[in-house]
Amino acid sequence: MPVTVLRYLPRRRFLMLTGIGLAGGLTACKTTDIVPSGDDTARAETNGALPLVNTLRNSKGLPTLEYSKIAEAAALSQAQRMARAGEMSHLIGRGDDFLLRMKSMGVPLPASENIAAGQSQVADAVDAWIRSEKHLHNMLGAYRGLGVAVAHNPSSANRPYWAMVLAS
């Protein structure tokens, strides 16, 4: 399920920045207790994904993407968040906001995020995104940078959670 930042809701930003959004339950996502980071079950997978995505883009006459350390950090963070929550979702916990998350990590906007769960290899995750019209649309978008990561949830049969961040 992809997310693309196309516009911003000023009221939500105001509420989030003032802290009202944290208590107001502005998202429809379920609240999840997040366990503090510190596990070694997450790793960057950009080097494996980048040639696959660039081969796809080249076949469509599009420019190649570059490795983005910032996008990779954002993907790593999202994969870890999903693994800790045991949930494949762009928004985890009360008050979560994709745009604010990207901005706080310094990801150049506009940006998109593709997520997946269950695939054992980076090629399988990229293939799943290619076979999804919305995910494919993100990968063929006017972006310059790419970051991909996977994290595992040891309490859930070590299920892998994947995140791809495409950045301008």
Side-chain angles (χ1 to χ4, degrees), residues 41-45 75-76 79-80 119-120 148-152 160-163:
T41 61
R43 68 180 181 275
E45 288 284 350
L76 190 57
Q80 289 173 317
Q119 296 80 6
S120 59
V148 177
V150 63
H152 293 82
Y161 290 86
W162 296 87

Side-chain angles (χ1 to χ4, degrees), residues 29 84 137 168:
C29 296
R84 285 192 301 265
H137 178 75
S168 294

Side-chain angles (χ1 to χ4, degrees), residues 63-126:
T64 58
L65 298 176
E66 298 175 2
Y67 165 80
S68 169
K69 185 176 184 175
I70 293 171
E72 186 177 78
L76 190 57
S77 173
Q78 180 61 12
Q80 289 173 317
R81 287 161 28 96
M82 291 188 300
R84 285 192 301 265
E87 175 183 353
M88 187 182 82
S89 178
H90 294 284
L91 304 176
I92 298 173
R94 224 175 250 256
D96 196 3
D97 182 285
F98 174 75
L99 181 59
L100 289 178
R101 183 164 39 93
M102 292 297 112
K103 283 177 130 182
S104 73
M105 298 193 78
V107 175
L109 300 176
S112 293
E113 179 178 78
N114 289 347
I115 59 174
Q119 296 80 6
S120 59
Q121 302 293 322
V122 67
D124 298 329
V126 172

Side-chain angles (χ1 to χ4, degrees), residues 15-35:
L15 294 173
M16 291 301 298
L17 292 175
T18 61
I20 297 169
L22 295 175
L26 294 176
T27 67
C29 296
K30 77 177 195 181
T31 301
T32 306
D33 292 331
I34 305 296
V35 178

Side-chain angles (χ1 to χ4, degrees), residues 8-9 12 15 19 28-29 44 53 58 62 64 74 86 102 104 108 112 114 135 138-139 141 147 164:
Y8 187 71
L9 302 174
R12 182 175 179 144
L15 294 173
C29 296
V53 174
N58 288 338
L62 297 171
T64 58
M102 292 297 112
S104 73
S112 293
N114 289 347
H135 292 98
N138 281 347
M139 291 188 295
M164 170 187 280

